[in-house]
Amino acid sequence: MQTWDKLHTRFEAIGERPILALFEDATRAKSFTIQTQDMAFDYAKTNIDADTRADLIALAEEAGVADKRDAMFRGDKINDTEGRAVLHTALRNRDDAPVMVDGADVMPAIRDTLKRMADFSDHIRDSDITDVVNIGIGGSDLGPAMAVAALAPYHDGPRCHFVSNVDGAHIADTLRGLDAKTTLVIVASKTFTTIETMTNARTARAWMVDHGGNPATQFAALSTAEDKTAAFGIAPAQVFGFEDWVGGRYSVWGPIGLSLMIAIGPKGFNAFLDGAFAMDTHFRAAEPLENMPMMLALVGIWHNQICGHATRAVLPYDERLSLLPDYFQQLEMESNGKRVQMDGTASPRDTGPVVWGAAGTNGQHAFYQLIHQGTRVIPCEFMVAANGHEPELAHHHHLLIANCLAQSEALMQGRSLAQARKIMQDKGLSGDELERQAQHRVFVGNRPSTTLVYDRLDPYTLGQIIALYEHRVFVEGVILGINSYDQWGVELGKELATSLQPVVEGTQSAEGKDSSTASLIDYLIRHRDA
Ligand SMILES: O=P(O)(O)OC[C@H]1O[C@](O)(CO)[C@@H](O)[C@@H]1O
């Protein structure tokens, strides 16, 4: 508690201190950058100084982050509202050490499943299958969809498509133009009960039957619920199971990543796991000051809980990472969007921030106006590679990098009223009009950002980046005293949707519903095509 207070006091004392003033220390960039392997995380363009950083590290120590991290990797049941271990890290564990859950080593089964996935992927890649349709939602969609898009240059397998929305438009648009005889459908659902996924899976099966395909050989399932996959009619040889200690939004490392493995091959998928494992190893071993996930989390705590900035923008200057903000949105908001602490008492402070963003440079021409001149401060998390995959288009990549760095520079430096006046003067304005126009051209600056740089977006690097953010979410969750691994907040809407379905279908009356919901249903039914 004392450390929280100390940090709040520091924030008040800092007041309007320009971030730029911190650069009077010639070592600022070096001492506020963390490097692990080829990757560097620069948080020098924030208003965190060495004293603040020491307090933030003390906060993590007081919260017991190191012990809880070890407990997570060890397989302790840290998801205690569901009585589960949290072991997505075991899926990418590349050493021989056992990982114990309830007295049994989970590694042999993980290795066995990975081998079965590799054999199946090779078989599909060598077959006549031209297209793979992954049907899933949330963590059973966003991870593989994001990673398949990110690793397009490594893609040498069949085309991959992703269907998530229960809106029939999604599956109709996806199946249109596909050949049912050469399409593999993967039903990805941890629970195998999710209404969107099961509805889409049944529609896909009917389509396949109607168009001459064979669901018996052209359907695979990824799930923890093997009884339900069998009831759906999927042969056990085409079912890839995992355990309940893999959370949906953390599941891309195992069977849920099958479409990625089919796209880039088992070798590429292994490199993806290697990158994540390297980040795990770093997270477990590095001292807080040198620990990338830890410092990324502490910067997040500083901006959100101490400075009160309610959102943060994820801004990859990498077109192939355009789904990464969506992926991080689920990862962070489903994990840390909680109102009570582990013991059930209300959180005394705001919990996870709103996470959003888009790939640069596109975002610059859409929402950066507000980031630069709006009244709210939005900490920005930039990321950019030293190299693209198109050597013949290196000039594009140089422009991309220049834009990324220009944005963080502009956010920090801003443009003063004096500078704005000078610009207007040079344009020939004077008097009241000069004053009025100059105000519109002021950038207050002093807006914080961080930048993650890496060599090239290959499978290994993507694994590192995702694991980095997973651990960041974990550290923030521990400091906030919340359970990052349940998601009860999605339940109520699901229950109400189930109860509304017969009302919408017209087989039950809207009696008992609030008048807003009842009249909306009335409108929608009255306007329905006969
Ligand atoms: O894989 P499933 O069981 O279909 O669940 C899909 C998604 O639904 C959620 O449970 C939330 O609705 C996510 O956590 C999960 O990723």
Side-chain angles (χ1 to χ4, degrees):
M1 191 62 197
Q2 254 181 347
T3 310
W4 282 109
D5 292 344
K6 232 167 130 182
L7 281 159
H8 284 294
T9 309
R10 278 201 190 284
F11 175 57
E12 278 158 31
I14 285 172
E16 300 292 302
R17 175 179 72 185
I19 298 170
L20 262 180
L22 296 169
F23 284 84
E24 281 161 19
D25 170 5
T27 67
R28 170 92 188 158
K30 189 163 183 293
S31 54
F32 286 78
T33 295
I34 296 180
Q35 184 128 9
T36 173
Q37 299 187 313
D38 269 354
M39 188 173 272
F41 169 62
D42 175 322
Y43 60 105
K45 294 191 186 86
T46 66
N47 222 323
I48 296 173
D49 56 26
D51 292 336
T52 305
R53 180 169 64 185
D55 285 345
L56 287 165
I57 290 174
L59 196 64
E61 278 164 2
E62 285 164 22
V65 169
D67 285 350
K68 295 200 169 106
R69 172 197 63 200
D70 295 346
M72 173 174 75
F73 278 92
R74 201 167 50 223
D76 290 7
K77 296 191 173 169
I78 63 166
N79 172 2
D80 81 348
T81 57
E82 296 182 308
R84 292 175 184 169
V86 173
L87 275 180
H88 47 281
T89 51
L91 298 176
R92 60 209 191 206
N93 175 26
R94 314 299 273 168
D95 67 26
D96 294 331
V99 179
M100 308 298 283
V101 177
D102 293 329
D105 182 10
V106 298
M107 289 311 303
I110 289 174
R111 288 193 199 102
D112 180 55
T113 303
L114 199 56
K115 167 86 175 59
R116 286 185 55 232
M117 286 169 63
D119 291 346
F120 184 71
S121 296
D122 284 339
H123 159 70
I124 294 296
R125 287 159 60 84
D126 289 344
S127 73
D128 294 337
I129 293 293
T130 54
D131 295 87
V132 174
V133 178
N134 184 89
I135 297 179
I137 197 164
S140 299
D141 164 73
L142 287 164
M146 176 275 293
V148 165
L151 299 175
Y154 302 88
H155 196 153
D156 55 4
R159 287 180 293 264
C160 288
H161 313 266
F162 294 87
V163 174
S164 52
N165 203 323
V166 75
D167 184 342
H170 203 176
I171 191 141
D173 287 354
T174 305
L175 297 183
R176 188 175 308 118
L178 296 190
D179 181 348
K181 296 191 193 76
T182 60
T183 296
L184 173 75
V185 173
I186 298 178
V187 186
S189 175
K190 178 175 167 177
T191 54
F192 230 70
T193 57
T194 304
I195 191 81
E196 293 92 331
T197 301
M198 299 324 296
T199 305
N200 279 322
R202 283 189 287 269
T203 300
R205 187 171 54 188
W207 166 82
M208 191 173 275
V209 170
D210 288 352
H211 292 82
N214 181 5
T217 54
Q218 291 169 241
F219 261 65
L222 321 172
S223 182
T224 57
E226 288 175 29
D227 53 330
K228 298 195 173 71
T229 59
F232 191 87
I234 300 180
Q238 311 221 142
V239 175
F240 300 88
F242 55 105
E243 301 292 331
D244 67 4
W245 36 254
V246 179
R249 55 197 173 274
Y250 297 87
S251 60
V252 68
W253 314 105
I256 295 295
L258 183 63
S259 51
L260 174 65
M261 192 190 261
I262 293 173
I264 65 172
K267 202 163 157 244
F269 192 81
N270 278 328
F272 175 61
L273 300 185
D274 288 341
F277 179 65
M279 187 56 73
D280 292 346
T281 308
H282 164 78
F283 178 50
R284 296 176 81 172
E287 289 302 318
L289 200 54
E290 302 300 328
N291 195 309
M292 202 180 276
M294 177 79 91
M295 288 315 304
L296 179 60
L298 293 176
V299 170
I301 292 279
W302 170 253
H303 286 146
N304 183 22
Q305 280 71 30
I306 306 296
C307 305
H309 306 321
T311 84
R312 64 173 162 241
V314 177
L315 306 167
Y317 275 66
D318 204 319
E319 176 59 22
R320 295 190 177 107
L321 285 180
S322 52
L323 290 177
L324 193 69
D326 294 11
Y327 178 77
F328 283 165
Q329 193 170 63
Q330 186 202 16
L331 179 67
E332 303 206 24
M333 294 175 71
E334 201 163 79
S335 297
N336 287 346
K338 308 287 161 66
R339 57 171 280 279
V340 296
Q341 303 175 100
M342 289 298 246
D343 63 5
T345 57
S347 171
R349 52 188 60 83
D350 281 332
T351 57
V354 175
V355 177
W356 60 286
T361 60
N362 292 13
Q364 289 175 204
H365 300 275
F367 54 79
Y368 278 42
Q369 164 65 38
L370 186 147
I371 295 183
H372 284 288
Q373 286 192 317
T375 51
R376 294 180 171 87
V377 175
I378 297 165
C380 293
E381 302 188 350
F382 295 101
M383 48 184 86
V384 70
N387 298 289
H389 288 83
E390 290 72 28
E392 70 288 3
L393 299 176
H395 60 293
H396 282 249
H397 200 73
H398 298 159
L399 259 176
L400 184 73
I401 293 177
N403 270 277
C404 178
L405 300 182
Q407 292 300 326
S408 62
E409 209 182 355
L411 286 167
M412 177 170 69
Q413 286 182 357
R415 178 189 283 151
S416 68
L417 183 57
Q419 289 169 322
R421 280 195 184 116
K422 171 87 175 61
I423 292 170
M424 289 299 98
Q425 241 164 18
D426 292 348
K427 286 193 187 296
L429 264 62
S430 61
D432 287 352
E433 187 55 8
L434 181 149
E435 286 304 316
R436 193 178 75 82
Q437 291 283 358
Q439 287 293 348
H440 289 269
R441 285 154 176 86
V442 169
F443 292 65
V444 290
N446 219 20
R447 304 211 154 175
S449 69
T450 60
T451 306
L452 182 73
V453 286
Y454 44 90
D455 185 335
R456 188 187 310 272
L457 187 65
D458 56 18
Y460 187 94
T461 304
L462 184 67
Q464 284 179 300
I465 294 174
I466 301 172
L468 166 66
Y469 270 75
E470 285 179 350
H471 294 322
R472 177 262 191 108
V473 169
F474 166 78
V475 173
E476 291 194 10
V478 171
I479 292 174
L480 295 169
I482 58 180
N483 182 1
S484 301
Y485 299 105
D486 61 12
Q487 59 283 318
W488 299 110
V490 301
E491 295 302 322
L492 182 57
K494 284 185 193 173
E495 283 164 26
L496 291 178
T498 306
S499 77
L500 274 172
Q501 193 181 345
V503 183
V504 173
E505 284 167 349
T507 58
Q508 226 178 63
S509 93
E511 204 186 320
K513 293 287 168 196
D514 64 83
S515 60
S516 161
T517 306
S519 64
L520 289 168
I521 291 174
D522 178 57
Y523 174 94
L524 291 164
I525 290 180
R526 275 192 294 110
H527 287 79
R528 184 174 286 163
D529 293 344

